[in-house]
Amino acid sequence: AQSVSQHNHHVILSEAASLELGCNYSYGGTVNLFWYVQYPGQHLQLLLKYFSGDPLVKGIKGFEAEFIKSKFSFNLRKPSVQWSDTAEYFCAVSYNNNDMRFGAGTRLTVKP
Amino acid sequence: DAGVIQSPRHEVTEMGQEVTLRCKPISGHNSLFWYRQTMMRGLELLIYFNNNVPIDDSGMPEDRFSAKMPNASFSTLKIQPSEPRDSAVYFCASRGVSGANVLTFGAGSRLTVL
């Protein structure tokens, strides 16, 4: 079965530290890749997406993600995190433009 | 547009009771998804519909769960009878034909089964 794996359950960083959250998916044909963010008490919001073209995708709030097809990965990065980035981050994959599967999520805590 | 609207936002019920969660997708969106979020299992896809037709319900935990979409503007997720392990936040999301495959989520329904 197709699946999405997020390697880190909980990441704790200090402000200004660099962030990289891992995401891998199982191969299943054409894929669209996403990162969603859920701030405390809020619903999920789209952070960035990859459909085709440049494998380095820029999103909102300084986030970016790189699609590496050979590794089936779509890691999320940010050079310098802020306290306001404290949230839960979900990687998602849509297979053949149909369903949308999410990883288990990574909780990010940024210490001021 | 008001976005994806879910109700109720919070529900507390006793084991054995029927629970009905409701979702109104964004007008014009043709796909609707139900997800369940728990600490242990993260965000699980329960079922999704295209043009009101259920496409994949393999994520529905068991026969106690059922979902319907009688028209393009309304969907329900029903649990009968409910059990404490059903306690979770249930999210509805919709996607448009021209929405570049992006889901828009509702605020969620937090269910507590005592």
Side-chain angles (χ1 to χ4, degrees):
Chain A
Q2 290 131 347
S3 63
V4 184
S5 299
Q6 291 184 239
H7 313 302
N8 312 101
H9 182 64
H10 190 189
V11 173
I12 303 173
L13 297 173
S14 298
E15 274 195 315
S18 64
L19 170 72
E20 181 159 2
L21 302 182
C23 173
N24 286 89
Y25 63 95
S26 62
Y27 179 74
T30 304
V31 294
N32 297 154
L33 300 159
F34 307 81
W35 278 95
Y36 281 80
V37 60
Q38 185 179 29
Y39 296 104
Q42 297 187 26
H43 58 282
L44 279 80
Q45 304 167 46
L46 181 68
L47 202 54
L48 50 79
K49 62 185 185 291
Y50 171 80
F51 292 157
S52 63
D54 188 345
L56 185 61
V57 179
K58 304 282 188 184
I60 60 172
K61 303 185 180 185
F63 285 91
E64 65 179 31
E66 185 174 12
F67 170 51
I68 302 179
K69 189 174 182 179
S70 61
K71 295 184 178 180
F72 305 112
S73 70
F74 190 56
N75 292 355
L76 180 70
R77 299 194 293 250
K78 185 171 183 178
S80 176
V81 294
Q82 301 172 310
W83 176 80
S84 58
D85 293 325
T86 294
E88 189 148 15
Y89 293 81
F90 293 89
C91 180
V93 180
S94 179
Y95 296 92
N96 297 320
N97 211 30
N98 285 321
D99 65 353
M100 185 82 74
R101 305 277 171 172
F102 284 78
T106 297
R107 184 184 300 269
L108 172 65
T109 301
V110 180
K111 295 181 176 179
Chain B
D1 198 314
V4 177
I5 300 173
Q6 291 187 246
S7 64
R9 290 294 310 276
H10 302 273
E11 176 146 354
V12 180
T13 190
E14 293 187 342
M15 183 173 64
Q17 296 298 306
E18 178 179 294
V19 173
T20 299
L21 307 178
R22 298 173 179 80
C23 176
K24 182 180 187 308
I26 289 175
S27 178
H29 279 192
N30 69 323
S31 296
L32 184 141
F33 298 73
W34 281 101
Y35 290 90
R36 176 172 69 176
Q37 184 180 31
T38 61
M39 288 285 289
M40 293 297 293
R41 304 168 82 105
L43 201 60
E44 303 172 273
L45 175 63
L46 300 178
I47 185 171
Y48 79 99
F49 297 83
N50 276 352
N51 298 315
N52 313 337
V53 177
I55 302 301
D56 183 355
D57 65 354
S58 60
M60 296 285 264
E62 48 198 275
D63 292 345
R64 297 184 297 107
F65 285 69
S66 63
K68 294 182 180 179
M69 192 164 185
N71 57 63
S73 59
F74 184 65
S75 176
T76 59
L77 178 67
K78 187 173 293 187
I79 309 172
Q80 166 64 16
S82 58
E83 296 182 3
R85 61 190 166 125
D86 302 331
S87 298
V89 180
Y90 292 81
F91 285 100
C92 175
S94 70
R95 178 180 68 193
V97 174
S98 58
N101 201 13
V102 173
L103 297 187
T104 302
F105 280 82
S109 294
R110 181 176 295 276
L111 172 65
T112 302
V113 183
L114 303 174

